Amino acid sequence: MGNFSVRVAGWCARRAWWVVGGWVVLVALCLGVGLGVGNRPAVTADYRVGEAGRAEGIAAEGGVGRRPVEYVMITGRAVGAEMPVDAGVVTAVTQGLAGVPGVVAVGEPVWSRDRRAVRIDLTLGVDEREAARAAGEVRARTEAVQRARPEVVVTQTGRASIGRAVEQQRGQDIARVEMITLPVTLVTLVLVFFSLGLALVPVLLALSSIAAAVGLSMVASHVFPDAGVGTNVILLIGMAVGVDYSLFYLKREREERARAGGRLCAVALVDLAAATAGRVVVTSGLAVVVSSATLYLVDDVIFSSLATGAVLVTLVAVVSSMTVLPAALVLLGRTSERRARRVPAGKVTGALIRGIERNPVRTLVAATLVLLALAAPILGMRITDMGPETHPRELAAVQAYHQLTDTFPEVKAIHQVVVRGAGPEATKAIADLALRDPSISGPATVRTSADGRTQVLDLAVPHFVSEQAAQDSLRRLREQYVPAVLGQMKGVEYAVSGDVARYVDYPRHQQERLPWVIGALLLVTLLITAVAFRSVVLGVIGVVLNLLSAAAAIGVLVWVFQGRWAEGLLDFTSTGSIGSRVPLFLFVILFGLSMDYQFFFISRVREAVLAGVPTRRAVFEGMRRSASVITSAALVMVTVFAAFVGVHLIEVKQTGLSLAVAVLVDAFVVRTLVLPSLLLVLGDRVWWPRSVR
C-alpha cells in the first residue's frame, strides 16, 4: 500500500497543474451526471419492516393502502369563548378546501365536544413519501381560506405538513452549520499551519469531495433509494474525514521538509509523505468505508442511505488526498518550506509522556475506569422511534398538531388491522373486541378492496405512539383480539400496522439485526488492523479500544438526552429516550473514525521500531510525532460535529453531540493515555505473532 501511494503521489506531483485541473473537471462531472440522472427518493414501500410492513404490503396489493391525511381545524377568534360562527361558515370553509390538487376526499366536519372547534380531514391521493409536496399545495389553499374568513382561525397540520416543516428546518440548520464550521475550521487550520494557503487546501479538498460525493450519491440512489439523509451524512462525515486526511498528509510533508532543510525538491518530499502518511490515509479510509458498509446489513432504507453517503464521501476524500493534495503541495512550493520551521514543541505532550513513563499501569487503569464510568448510562438506555410530537414546537405545523390533538385526541395515532381471505363479519368481530379496549376509541372504519378479499380496519388510539397505553393496546390487539377471531381460520392472511405498530416494529427490527452488524464490525476492525500492522494483538487492541470509545460516547448521549437537566443548556425537550437510528449509526461510524487516530499513532511507533528503536522508546517517539496531528485533527472534527448540536431536530442534535464527545474522548483519553500505556505494559508482545523487525 505504501508503494502504491508513493507511485500515485509521485505521478500526480509531476503533473500538478493537470491533476488539479482534472480534479475540478471530475467534481463538475460527478455533479453534472448526478443532476442529469436525478435523485431517486425512497417510497413508502422501501420503509416496510416487521409485521407493520407486512400488513402494509397486503393492503397495497389489495388497493386499500394507507393514504396520508391532513387536518384543518377551525376555531373562533375569542379565546375561551364559544365558537362565534355558525355551520354556514364551516360549510363555506369546507367548500373552499374542495378541488385542491392531490386531495381525493374532504371529510365531513367533526365538532369538538365543547363545540369550540371543528376538524376537517383531507385525504391525499399520493404516496406517503410524496405527501409533503401535496401538503404544501393544501396549505396554499388553507391560507387563502384564512384570508377570506378572518373572523375564524384556520390551521393545518398532519404528518405530511410536519414532515415538510422538518425538512425545511433541516435545510436551514444545515446552512447555518456550514456558516459556522467553515470559518472555524479555517481559523483552526491557520493556527495549526501558520499559513492561510496551507489552511485553505484541506478545506477546499473537503468541500470538493463533498460536492463530488453528492453527485455520485444521486447516481447511487437508483440502486439504494435516498431516504433524505444521504446529503446530511455526506456533509457530516465529508468535512471531518476530508480535513483529517489532508491534515495527516500535510503535517508529514512539513515534517519531512523541515528535516530536509532545503536539500530535497518538492516532488521528493511528497514521495516521503506518501510512503508514510499516504499509507495511513488509504488504510484509515478503507477502515471507514468497510465499517460504514456494515450498515447495509440492517436491511433498512435509512441505514442503506446513511451507508451509501458515508462510503462515497470517504472514498472521494481518500482519492483527493492521494492525488490532488500531492499536486497542491508541489504548487505551494517554497511557502510550505518557510512555514515548516515554525512548528512549536508540545509542552503538554512532554508532561503526558513523563506521567505515563512513571507508572503506565496506573495511567491505564485510571483512564479505563473513566471510560467505563462514562459508558455506564448505556445500561439504562431506552431506544424508541421519534413520533411527530417529538419535533420542535417552534415549527408552526407542530404547534398546530398539539392544538389539534389536545382538542381531538382520537387523531393522535391509529391501529390498522389488515385481513385478506376472510369475510366482513370477521373484521366486524375484531372491531367489536377492540372497541372494548380502554385505549382504543371509536368509531371504527373499514375499507374493502375492489375484489372484496381484503379489508382494512382503522381504529383510533387517543394516545401518542410513545405512550405506554398506546403500545399496550397494540400488544393486546396483536396477541388477543385478532387471533381470537382469525387464529383458527384457514387460508387467511392478517397483520397489524398503523402509527403505533410502526413506532414499535422499527426499533425491534434494528435490534434483530444488531448482532449481525456488531459481529461484522468487530471482525472487519480486527482484520484490517491486524493486516495493516501484521499483529493480531494490535487487532484485538483496536477492537477493545474502539468499543470503549464508542460506549463512552453513547453513555454521555444517554446521560444528556434521556434526562432533563440539559434541556435548557442544549435547547431541546427530552423524550426520555434516544432516537432509534442514532446508537447504531454512531457505533458504526465511530468505529471507523476512531481507527484514524489509532492508525496514525501506531504507524509512527512501528516506523520507529523498524528503524531499530526499542518498543518502549518508540511509543514515546510516536507520541511526540503524532500528538500535534491528532490534536489538530480532533479540534477540527469536534468543531464540525459540535456545530450540529445547535440544530433543532433532536436526532441530529443527538448525533452531533455524540460524535463530538467521541472524538474528544478518543483523541485525548484513548489514544493519548490508554493506548500508549497499554503498549508500554505489553512491550514487544504487541507485535505478535511475528516480530516487527
Side-chain angles (χ1 to χ4, degrees):
M1 189 67 72
N3 291 335
F4 174 73
S5 301
V6 172
R7 289 197 300 271
V8 172
W11 189 91
C12 294
R14 291 172 177 83
R15 299 163 179 83
W17 282 113
W18 284 101
V19 170
V20 172
W23 178 253
V24 173
V25 171
L26 179 62
V27 172
L29 184 63
C30 289
L31 275 175
V33 172
L35 293 172
V37 302
N39 191 55
R40 182 197 166 198
V43 297
T44 302
D46 295 320
Y47 290 82
R48 292 172 185 161
V49 297
E51 182 178 341
R54 184 161 55 86
E56 291 164 17
I58 296 172
E61 290 173 9
V64 284
R66 183 174 180 177
R67 294 286 179 84
V69 177
E70 284 289 290
Y71 302 101
V72 173
M73 190 167 75
I74 310 167
T75 57
R77 288 284 180 188
V79 178
E82 291 294 332
M83 187 173 178
V85 292
D86 57 22
V89 174
V90 175
T91 300
V93 172
T94 304
Q95 292 174 347
L97 294 170
V100 181
V103 175
V104 294
V106 179
E108 292 295 322
V110 179
W111 290 77
S112 63
R113 291 183 179 181
D114 60 8
R115 308 289 294 179
R116 298 181 185 181
V118 176
R119 187 187 90 234
I120 302 171
D121 300 351
L122 307 178
T123 303
L124 306 180
V126 296
D127 184 271
E128 287 184 80
R129 299 303 301 176
E130 300 173 356
R133 176 186 53 79
E137 296 174 348
V138 174
R139 182 166 298 280
R141 180 66 63 87
T142 303
E143 291 171 351
V145 170
Q146 175 67 88
R147 290 191 296 270
R149 295 288 175 177
E151 69 272 24
V152 293
V153 177
V154 183
T155 57
Q156 175 191 335
T157 189
R159 292 175 183 270
S161 285
I162 292 174
R164 184 169 181 266
V166 166
E167 286 302 316
Q168 291 174 341
Q169 183 65 64
R170 180 183 285 117
Q172 295 171 7
D173 286 341
I174 295 299
R176 186 167 59 251
V177 166
E178 291 173 344
M179 294 296 292
I180 295 173
T181 57
L182 287 178
V184 173
T185 299
L186 188 58
V187 169
T188 303
L189 292 173
V190 168
L191 294 175
V192 170
F193 293 116
F194 301 99
S195 166
L196 179 60
L198 283 175
L200 281 171
V201 171
V203 174
L204 292 176
L205 284 182
L207 291 176
S208 63
S209 298
I210 289 170
V214 168
L216 293 173
S217 70
M218 294 181 184
V219 178
S221 69
H222 293 269
V223 179
F224 303 103
D226 181 22
V229 296
T231 302
N232 293 346
V233 77
I234 286 174
L235 177 63
L236 185 73
I237 303 300
M239 199 67 192
V241 299
V243 172
D244 233 16
Y245 297 158
S246 298
L247 193 57
F248 288 170
Y249 210 117
L250 280 166
K251 277 283 193 175
R252 188 56 185 257
E253 190 270 352
R254 292 176 75 236
E255 180 182 318
E256 298 297 343
R257 186 179 291 276
R259 183 183 300 168
R263 294 187 299 274
L264 295 176
C265 68
V267 174
L269 293 171
V270 165
D271 286 345
L272 287 172
T276 50
R279 179 178 184 273
V280 174
V281 166
V282 175
T283 309
S284 298
L286 177 64
V288 176
V289 167
V290 176
S291 298
S292 301
T294 61
L295 288 174
Y296 288 119
L297 297 176
V298 183
D299 190 24
D300 170 77
V301 66
I302 294 177
F303 282 101
S304 294
S305 191
L306 292 170
T308 301
V311 167
L312 287 176
V313 77
T314 303
L315 285 174
V316 175
V318 170
V319 171
S320 69
S321 297
M322 291 179 64
T323 57
V324 191
L325 185 56
L329 290 177
V330 171
L331 294 177
L332 284 171
R334 294 291 177 178
T335 302
S336 297
E337 184 177 357
R338 290 194 299 270
R339 302 300 182 186
R341 299 190 182 104
R342 299 177 59 179
V343 181
K347 296 182 180 179
V348 176
T349 302
L352 286 173
I353 289 174
R354 289 191 294 272
I356 294 172
E357 188 175 19
R358 281 195 296 270
N359 200 322
V361 175
R362 183 181 300 171
T363 303
L364 176 62
V365 171
T368 302
L369 289 176
V370 169
L371 292 174
L372 292 174
L374 292 175
I378 286 182
L379 299 175
M381 181 167 61
R382 181 171 177 259
I383 299 175
T384 64
D385 203 0
M386 293 294 175
E389 72 277 9
T390 64
H391 292 303
R393 297 217 179 193
E394 295 87 351
L395 301 177
V398 178
Q399 292 177 10
Y401 178 77
H402 284 284
Q403 293 168 1
L404 175 76
T405 53
D406 287 344
T407 307
F408 300 97
E410 65 271 19
V411 303
K412 288 182 176 179
I414 192 173
H415 293 317
Q416 292 186 310
V417 183
V418 181
V419 183
R420 181 162 61 190
E425 298 81 9
T427 307
K428 183 179 182 303
I430 295 172
D432 291 340
L433 285 175
L435 290 175
R436 298 175 192 170
D437 193 291
S439 296
I440 298 176
S441 65
T445 61
V446 178
R447 290 174 285 123
T448 304
S449 64
D451 61 5
R453 295 192 67 248
T454 306
Q455 289 88 37
V456 178
L457 171 64
D458 293 337
L459 298 166
V461 183
H463 302 280
F464 289 124
V465 293
S466 58
E467 295 179 27
Q468 192 61 46
Q471 296 170 38
D472 289 342
S473 70
L474 173 67
R475 179 180 50 79
R476 290 190 291 268
L477 187 63
R478 282 177 165 177
E479 298 177 5
Q480 299 176 30
Y481 309 146
V482 176
V485 177
L486 304 176
Q488 302 302 318
M489 291 187 179
K490 301 296 183 181
V492 175
E493 288 183 86
Y494 62 87
V496 178
S497 183
D499 301 321
V500 186
R502 288 178 173 181
Y503 180 86
V504 171
D505 288 356
Y506 190 77
R508 184 179 297 166
H509 173 77
Q510 291 182 44
Q511 291 169 6
E512 292 171 354
R513 295 285 177 167
L514 189 61
W516 295 97
V517 177
I518 291 180
L521 191 60
L522 297 179
L523 180 61
V524 299
T525 301
L526 176 64
L527 290 176
I528 290 175
T529 307
V531 171
F533 297 105
R534 298 178 175 84
S535 166
V536 174
V537 174
L538 285 175
V540 174
I541 289 174
V543 169
V544 173
L545 294 190
N546 284 358
L547 278 172
L548 274 175
S549 182
I554 297 175
V556 172
L557 169 72
V558 174
W559 178 56
V560 171
F561 284 98
Q562 280 194 191
R564 297 191 175 276
W565 66 271
E567 287 181 325
L569 182 64
L570 298 180
D571 189 24
F572 71 97
T573 300
S574 176
T575 62
S577 63
I578 304 301
S580 59
R581 305 175 189 91
V582 175
L584 183 55
F585 173 70
L586 287 174
F587 195 78
V588 170
I589 296 301
L590 291 178
F591 252 70
L593 294 180
S594 294
M595 295 210 290
D596 281 355
Y597 302 146
Q598 177 168 308
F599 281 5
F600 195 79
F601 172 67
I602 293 179
S603 67
R604 300 311 297 260
V605 175
R606 187 171 183 272
E607 190 179 327
V609 172
L610 286 171
V613 178
T615 297
R616 181 179 180 83
R617 206 176 68 180
V619 171
F620 297 130
E621 186 69 18
M623 287 185 68
R624 290 189 187 94
R625 293 187 175 185
S626 65
S628 62
V629 181
I630 292 176
T631 302
S632 303
L635 289 175
V636 172
M637 272 200 178
V638 169
T639 299
V640 173
F641 294 147
F644 283 83
V645 178
V647 305
H648 292 80
L649 306 181
I650 191 166
E651 284 187 293
V652 180
K653 189 186 291 282
Q654 290 176 352
T655 302
L657 177 74
S658 299
L659 288 172
V661 170
V663 171
L664 283 173
V665 168
D666 199 73
F668 295 101
V669 179
V670 175
R671 312 303 163 189
T672 306
L673 297 175
V674 177
L675 181 58
S677 301
L678 189 56
L679 295 181
L680 288 177
V681 171
L682 293 175
D684 287 334
R685 286 169 290 187
V686 299
W687 311 113
W688 186 86
R690 51 190 291 187
S691 172
V692 73
R693 299 184 181 83

